[in-house]
Amino acid sequence: MPSSYQAPHVGDQPKQASHSQSVDSNIAQETATVEKLIARKGSTVYTISPKDTISTAVKILRDRKIGALLVTSTEGGLEGILSERDIVRKLAETPGQTLPQTVADNMTRSVEICAPADPLVTVLRRMTEGRFRHMPVMSRGEICGMLTVGDVVNYRLQELEYEALQLKQMIVG
């Protein structure tokens, strides 16, 4: 027994237990939202005009190393989305005649959007159920970002790694 140890005496007051680490203090309790992901990822969005050709779109997708472009009006309003999948589908339907076609003739017009306050779990579920990989983020009618399935999954993996690290630190002390 260490020499500094003193056995409790009758009449000693119980000491308040202190907890420098707990599950509550080490694991984030807040919901991961689109806004948090966009803050980490950045809000850069690549757009194209409906009048542009598929050839132009393919070059932008290649140069930017992205999988989809938002199709916007001259005023910046969202008119649709053009993804690699849309282009591949059209290439199969019109081989050798696709590149000169317009974006307007090949884009997806019905675009699923999300808001900054939406929980990432909800957004990922919508993307999975709808079988699409890109979702524009809109706030007050304005485009403020673009999410991909990969962004959401990567964000969640980083959260899980952080939680695991915090639990290890709590266990080790």
Side-chain angles (χ1 to χ4, degrees):
M1 199 175 303
S3 60
S4 63
Y5 174 78
Q6 292 185 2
H9 293 92
V10 175
D12 282 353
Q13 297 294 322
K15 293 183 179 176
Q16 285 284 14
S18 67
H19 302 281
S20 62
Q21 295 185 14
S22 68
V23 172
D24 290 337
S25 68
N26 285 314
I27 298 179
Q29 298 295 317
E30 56 196 49
T31 302
T33 62
V34 169
E35 185 173 36
K36 290 177 187 167
L37 191 153
I38 292 294
R40 186 183 294 178
K41 172 191 173 178
S43 60
T44 302
V45 176
Y46 297 101
T47 64
I48 194 163
S49 164
K51 296 175 186 173
D52 283 326
T53 63
I54 296 297
S55 179
T56 301
V58 167
K59 289 174 186 164
I60 295 169
L61 292 170
R62 179 200 62 203
D63 294 346
R64 298 293 181 185
K65 296 179 174 74
I66 56 175
L69 292 164
L70 294 183
V71 184
T72 56
S73 65
T74 53
E75 298 81 33
L78 182 63
E79 292 192 10
I81 189 167
L82 181 72
S83 70
E84 293 168 321
R85 196 177 283 174
D86 294 324
I87 296 167
V88 168
R89 196 173 291 125
K90 198 57 154 184
L91 282 167
E93 292 171 8
T94 59
Q97 303 167 349
T98 305
L99 295 179
Q101 295 179 31
T102 66
V103 168
D105 291 336
N106 295 284
M107 68 185 186
T108 300
R109 293 180 186 278
S110 177
V111 183
E112 291 274 338
I113 62 167
C114 62
D118 289 349
L120 286 180
V121 158
T122 305
V123 170
L124 186 57
R125 186 173 297 118
R126 287 175 54 203
M127 292 173 94
T128 303
E129 289 171 0
R131 299 181 55 86
F132 53 90
R133 298 176 296 203
H134 302 87
M135 186 182 282
V137 182
M138 303 279 292
S139 179
R140 294 181 203 97
E142 304 231 344
I143 300 166
C144 58
M146 171 85 108
L147 296 184
T148 69
V149 167
D151 295 333
V152 179
V153 169
N154 187 44
Y155 185 91
R156 185 62 185 130
L157 283 174
Q158 288 176 352
E159 276 188 329
L160 290 171
E161 288 172 356
Y162 177 75
E163 288 175 12
L165 177 64
Q166 294 302 315
L167 285 171
K168 282 180 189 174
Q169 288 176 343
M170 185 174 74
I171 291 167
V172 172

